[in-house]
Amino acid sequence: MDMNLLVALDALLDTHSVTRAAERLHTSAPAMSRTLAKLRRVLGDPLLVRAGRHLVPTPRALELRYEVSVLVEQGRALLTPRGGLDPAGLKRGFAVQAGDTVLTELAAPLLTAIRTRAPGVTVHFLPDTLEGTAALRDGRVDIEVGVIDHTDPETTVQRVLGDRVVGVAAPDHPLVTDRVTVAAFASAAHLSISRLGRARGPIDDRLALHGRTRRVVATVPNLTTALLAVRAGDLICPAPAALSASTLAALGLCAFKIPLPLPEVIIGMAWHPRNTADSGHRWLRELIRTVLNSAVDGADPDPDPDPGH
């Protein structure tokens, strides 16, 4: 059965008139007469029969009238675009896979905003050890936030912000207290941050252009571990300037300009396309974007303690 016939049947049973039903559905009377004939064949009942100059419903038509009306109304409601979301009434859980690079700046302000605006929402932060594409596709992760280093036709990826790379050291380190030169930077004891244990990266490529190399004394899997190690000794490590600013302040660490042109740290957000139009999912995406950009906008634009450098 063509489900569009339900709409025509609803109009016919409500108006008891081929002409008025046709006007309601913006079609012609002959077309509506053909539709009524089709309905009679499908349902095995005349539905509307002539009584003088009018049509009257059969017992079967009266039996169908209420249920058909409800079905048509439910169908219209299902296909009608929803109005604006009221976060205060949202009751839902979200799984957010956040990289260590962004989690320290994202978690606290995001949870504060959610508790204020949408107290019925629960967020489950997951480590970035899951394979992003598969987890998003399978529904284990709703949103991935961080350095998105994988692409897939099934995944929607959007840039959230770009952050610059700075060096991090203890307050009494020579790279904080003295002039930072390429030679001084290269000769320091470096920590490399890599989940895969890779010591070489863009810093080494830029140093090579100056004919220099650096000594990477260790690799660590995440930024938090690197910052704690730097705090305990004379090591240095790279970090995103804005996204690590509050953590550096809390740990008593200092940032310095790396005297090399390094690529931006691109922070992105990824999700499965099935969630693109979902109002609750869209609300959380926009909130995450706002929180992260606020962190960048509020960060010190120049970490160098000496403007003359």
Side-chain angles (χ1 to χ4, degrees):
M1 181 177 180
D2 182 354
M3 299 302 288
N4 289 315
L5 290 177
L6 284 175
V7 178
L9 179 59
D10 179 53
L12 287 164
L13 296 181
D14 186 49
T15 63
H16 298 174
S17 167
V18 169
T19 300
R20 290 200 299 273
E23 291 173 351
R24 177 181 294 187
L25 300 182
H26 307 288
T27 187
S28 65
M32 184 56 69
S33 293
R34 291 192 294 271
T35 300
L36 176 57
K38 184 182 295 186
L39 283 165
R40 286 168 170 165
R41 291 194 302 271
V42 170
L43 296 174
D45 189 271
L47 298 174
L48 296 173
V49 296
R50 187 161 295 282
R53 300 179 61 183
H54 303 286
L55 295 176
V56 296
T58 65
R60 174 63 169 153
L62 292 174
E63 178 184 311
L64 290 172
R65 180 174 178 177
Y66 173 74
E67 292 185 8
V68 169
S69 176
V70 170
L71 283 173
V72 170
E73 188 59 34
Q74 288 177 342
R76 289 193 177 115
L78 180 65
L79 299 177
T80 299
R82 296 180 180 179
L85 173 73
D86 179 11
L90 185 61
K91 297 185 183 299
R92 185 168 170 182
F94 292 96
V96 178
Q97 179 173 302
D100 177 70
T101 304
V102 302
L103 187 57
T104 53
E105 291 293 331
L106 174 64
L110 180 64
L111 293 179
T112 298
I114 287 175
R115 286 179 61 81
T116 301
R117 306 177 196 178
V121 168
T122 303
V123 177
H124 306 278
F125 287 109
L126 304 177
D128 60 354
T129 53
L130 294 174
E131 172 51 45
T133 300
L136 291 168
R137 182 175 58 242
D138 298 344
R140 289 174 290 154
V141 171
D142 294 302
I143 302 174
E144 181 182 0
V145 189
V147 178
I148 309 296
D149 53 7
H150 55 270
T151 57
D152 188 282
E154 296 183 5
T155 303
T156 299
V157 180
Q158 286 186 357
R159 174 188 168 115
V160 176
L161 59 90
D163 203 353
R164 57 196 175 83
V165 179
V166 295
V168 177
D172 57 352
H173 195 284
L175 292 181
V176 173
T177 58
D178 301 332
R179 181 179 178 81
V180 182
T181 64
V182 173
F185 177 73
S187 64
H190 290 251
L191 274 179
S192 180
I193 304 170
S194 170
R195 286 186 300 169
L196 302 178
R198 294 171 180 165
R200 186 175 178 85
I203 289 176
D204 302 278
D205 297 335
R206 300 305 188 275
L207 284 174
L209 297 176
H210 291 266
R212 296 185 180 277
T213 60
R214 62 174 178 155
R215 162 86 169 124
V216 176
V217 301
T219 63
V220 293
N222 55 64
L223 178 61
T224 302
T225 302
L227 295 179
L228 291 173
V230 167
R231 185 187 184 193
D234 62 349
L235 303 174
I236 67 170
C237 75
L243 292 176
S244 64
S246 63
T247 305
L248 297 188
L251 294 177
L253 297 172
C254 295
F256 63 87
K257 282 186 176 179
I258 297 176
L260 300 167
L262 297 175
E264 275 188 315
V265 177
I266 304 299
I267 302 300
M269 188 159 39
W271 64 90
H272 194 274
R274 68 172 173 271
N275 292 316
T276 297
D278 180 85
S279 57
H281 196 280
R282 183 170 62 248
W283 173 79
L284 183 59
R285 294 197 307 264
E286 290 306 313
L287 185 58
I288 290 173
R289 182 183 299 276
T290 299
V291 166
L292 289 177
N293 278 282
S294 295
V296 172
D297 293 340
D300 182 359
D302 186 357
D304 193 334
D306 183 352
H309 291 177

